[in-house]
Amino acid sequence: MRVFLKDEGRRRFFGTLAAILATASILAVAIWWANGNQMRETFVRHDRCVVSSLMEQGVSEAVIAKAFSDEEITEKGTDLLMRMGISEKTGLFFMPQIFKIQKGTGMLLAGLFFFLWIGLFVPACRFFSAREGIYHQAVRIIDQFMTGDFTEHLPQMEEGCLYRLLGKIDSLANALAAGNEEAVRAKDFLKDTISDISHQLKTPLSALTMYNEIIASDVENKETVLTFTRKTQVALERIEGLIQTLLKVTRLDAGAVVFEKQGWLLADVVNRAVSELLVRAAEEEKEIVLTGEESIWVNCDLQWTSEAIANLAKNALDYTGKGGRIVLSWEQFPEMTRVSVTDNGKGIDEKDIYHIFKRFYRTSRGKGSGQGVGLGLPMARSIIEGQGGTLSVQSRKEEGSVFTVTLPR
């Protein structure tokens, strides 16, 4: 019952109904009481008239008293009354006093029933009219939901089953809206990815076309053929690397990568990350230094985590000049494990630092260097965050940068 009456509109309706029925009951008792009093007065007046008439005719008081107390009905008495026109079949119209009582009672009852009809009909009309308004409003808003417009919300001002139902529908609409937004974001992501791939492949493909034209126009010169064949090979390798990187970034952004986390020595993870960069560092006269306890373990996906750290080390090499120093250090705390990649290179301009994790973004200092395409840092962040970690950066112009990876223990 308490749940049934939680609906405010329902409480008002049944409260009004109860008040009307209580009032009608009181009026019915009042009519019954008034009718009884009127009948008593009528019969007492009639008895007085009869007694007075008999006493005027000389009938003794004892005889009159006996007549009023006697309950025996005789044939002579019945016959006399019938000759006087008084019997069970006599019309009430010919009995003015009784007819008057009946008429008054009928008018009172008619008024009572009129009060009941009005009292019940008006609140019912108001209650169902209000509900009809809520239904029409709900239908209109649900129609908007069906067209993809989720700006309005279904009414949920009060308690009760109806409002709980509307609340559930509104929650479903919110879920649909979120799904639509996710679908739009996925569509935009796909469109941007295709646009980025097209833009990034344009340069090496144009170079390949030009190299082939040069080779075709000078096929007799072996040195020219060899030179531009090597250039073609470099461009093809760049295209292949770009496509592989784009595929990885796309899979990470789409949530299609399942990280297989296991316990690994952090030193092994870092060594795996820089193993292919040591030769490049030596050729560029730069130094890569590893520092950290050999016994620290980390729970991570070996392949992906190594690639993320490698991307950070590559970025440090790209923006560190001749004689530069890149330090990869690691340490462990009760709640997390931290890996830092520190360089003493050019640093990052303040206007660039908030954008460096965007795909294909390159700083103003890196655009003319020919190093990278702006995918290494976004991929590193996606890998680390995909394993529940974080990747942050601190940098000062001409003082170098520090990229910090934290992974949960």
Side-chain angles (χ1 to χ4, degrees):
M1 179 58 72
R2 291 180 61 186
V3 174
F4 180 77
L5 292 178
K6 275 188 176 181
D7 190 314
E8 179 64 25
R10 193 179 291 161
R11 282 203 304 270
R12 287 196 297 267
F13 174 73
F14 282 102
T16 304
L17 181 62
I20 291 169
L21 292 175
T23 304
S25 300
I26 294 171
L27 290 175
V29 171
I31 291 171
W32 170 78
W33 183 262
N35 185 64
N37 287 337
Q38 193 172 5
M39 289 182 67
R40 181 183 62 194
E41 290 174 3
T42 299
F43 281 105
V44 168
R45 187 174 183 280
H46 177 266
D47 290 345
R48 283 174 180 169
C49 291
V50 171
V51 170
S52 298
S53 177
L54 290 174
M55 289 183 71
E56 287 294 327
Q57 297 177 39
V59 179
S60 67
E61 292 181 5
V63 173
I64 295 173
K66 184 177 183 303
F68 272 90
S69 62
D70 198 349
E71 294 183 0
E72 184 180 354
I73 299 174
T74 64
E75 257 184 62
K76 289 182 179 182
T78 302
D79 184 58
L80 176 61
L81 287 174
M82 288 186 67
R83 290 199 304 273
M84 292 171 58
I86 300 174
S87 70
E88 291 83 352
K89 297 181 180 180
T90 303
L92 292 178
F93 182 77
F94 297 103
M95 306 174 96
Q97 297 300 324
I98 302 299
F99 180 73
K100 182 180 179 182
I101 295 173
Q102 184 189 44
K103 182 180 178 181
T105 303
M107 292 180 65
L108 289 174
L109 289 174
L112 176 60
F113 279 101
F114 179 77
F115 167 76
L116 280 174
W117 273 102
I118 297 299
L120 296 176
F121 184 74
V122 171
C125 286
R126 292 181 60 186
F127 175 76
F128 289 108
S129 176
R131 283 301 163 96
E132 191 70 15
I134 294 172
Y135 298 148
H136 282 297
Q137 182 184 6
V139 168
R140 178 179 59 79
I141 295 175
I142 290 172
D143 285 339
Q144 292 179 1
F145 290 165
M146 294 175 67
T147 61
D149 181 3
F150 299 94
T151 54
E152 280 194 80
H153 295 282
L154 291 168
Q156 302 172 47
M157 305 83 68
E158 301 175 5
E159 295 184 358
C161 294
L162 174 62
Y163 293 102
R164 286 203 302 274
L165 174 62
L166 295 180
K168 292 295 183 182
I169 295 174
D170 204 55
S171 299
L172 176 61
N174 290 334
L176 291 173
N180 285 348
E181 290 176 4
E182 186 65 31
V184 170
R185 284 197 296 269
K187 184 178 179 180
D188 291 340
F189 169 74
L190 180 60
K191 181 177 68 175
D192 293 342
T193 300
I194 293 173
S195 175
D196 291 340
I197 292 173
S198 174
H199 176 75
Q200 292 298 323
L201 290 178
K202 188 181 297 183
T203 300
L205 287 174
S206 298
L208 283 173
T209 302
M210 181 183 69
Y211 298 157
N212 283 334
E213 289 176 353
I214 293 173
I215 292 171
S217 63
D218 196 7
V219 292
E220 296 179 358
N221 190 331
K222 185 177 180 181
E223 185 64 29
T224 300
V225 172
L226 289 174
T227 299
F228 284 96
T229 298
R230 284 193 292 270
K231 289 180 178 290
T232 300
Q233 182 62 34
V234 171
L236 288 171
E237 289 174 356
R238 183 182 177 191
I239 290 174
E240 182 181 4
L242 179 59
I243 290 173
Q244 292 298 327
T245 303
L246 280 169
L247 288 174
K248 290 177 182 178
V249 171
T250 303
R251 288 178 61 206
L252 287 165
D253 288 349
V257 174
V258 178
F259 294 102
E260 298 178 358
K261 298 171 70 174
Q262 296 180 28
W264 300 95
L265 283 171
L266 188 50
D268 292 342
V269 177
V270 176
N271 275 298
R272 179 187 174 104
V274 301
S275 60
E276 296 182 3
L277 299 175
L278 295 175
V279 174
R280 174 188 165 184
E283 290 175 351
E284 296 178 1
E285 299 182 24
K286 301 172 186 178
E287 183 183 12
I288 295 179
V289 179
L290 308 183
T291 174
E293 293 184 17
E294 297 288 333
S295 59
I296 293 177
W297 287 78
V298 63
N299 189 35
C300 68
D301 185 299
L302 176 63
Q303 179 180 346
W304 284 104
T305 307
S306 297
E307 185 159 359
I309 296 173
N311 285 340
L312 298 178
K314 287 177 188 175
N315 182 77
L317 285 172
D318 290 342
Y319 293 94
T320 301
K322 185 177 179 180
R325 192 167 187 262
I326 295 93
V327 179
L328 283 81
S329 60
W330 59 91
E331 52 188 335
Q332 197 163 58
F333 300 92
E335 298 299 327
M336 55 90 175
T337 302
R338 185 166 65 195
V339 179
S340 299
V341 180
T342 307
D343 66 68
N344 59 353
K346 302 175 183 178
I348 305 170
D349 288 342
E350 187 176 349
K351 64 183 178 65
D352 292 321
I353 201 165
Y354 298 104
H355 304 286
I356 59 173
F357 292 109
K358 294 179 181 178
R359 287 181 304 152
F360 298 109
Y361 183 84
R362 300 183 66 193
T363 66
S364 55
R365 296 186 173 199
K367 288 180 180 177
S369 67
Q371 300 285 357
V373 293
L375 286 175
L377 294 181
M379 185 163 70
R381 169 170 274 189
S382 295
I383 292 170
I384 299 303
E385 290 183 350
Q387 297 180 84
T390 60
L391 173 59
S392 59
V393 60
Q394 292 179 321
S395 182
R396 287 188 179 180
K397 194 173 180 180
E398 304 302 339
E399 293 185 14
S401 305
V402 181
F403 286 85
T404 303
V405 173
T406 60
L407 289 169
R409 291 193 61 178

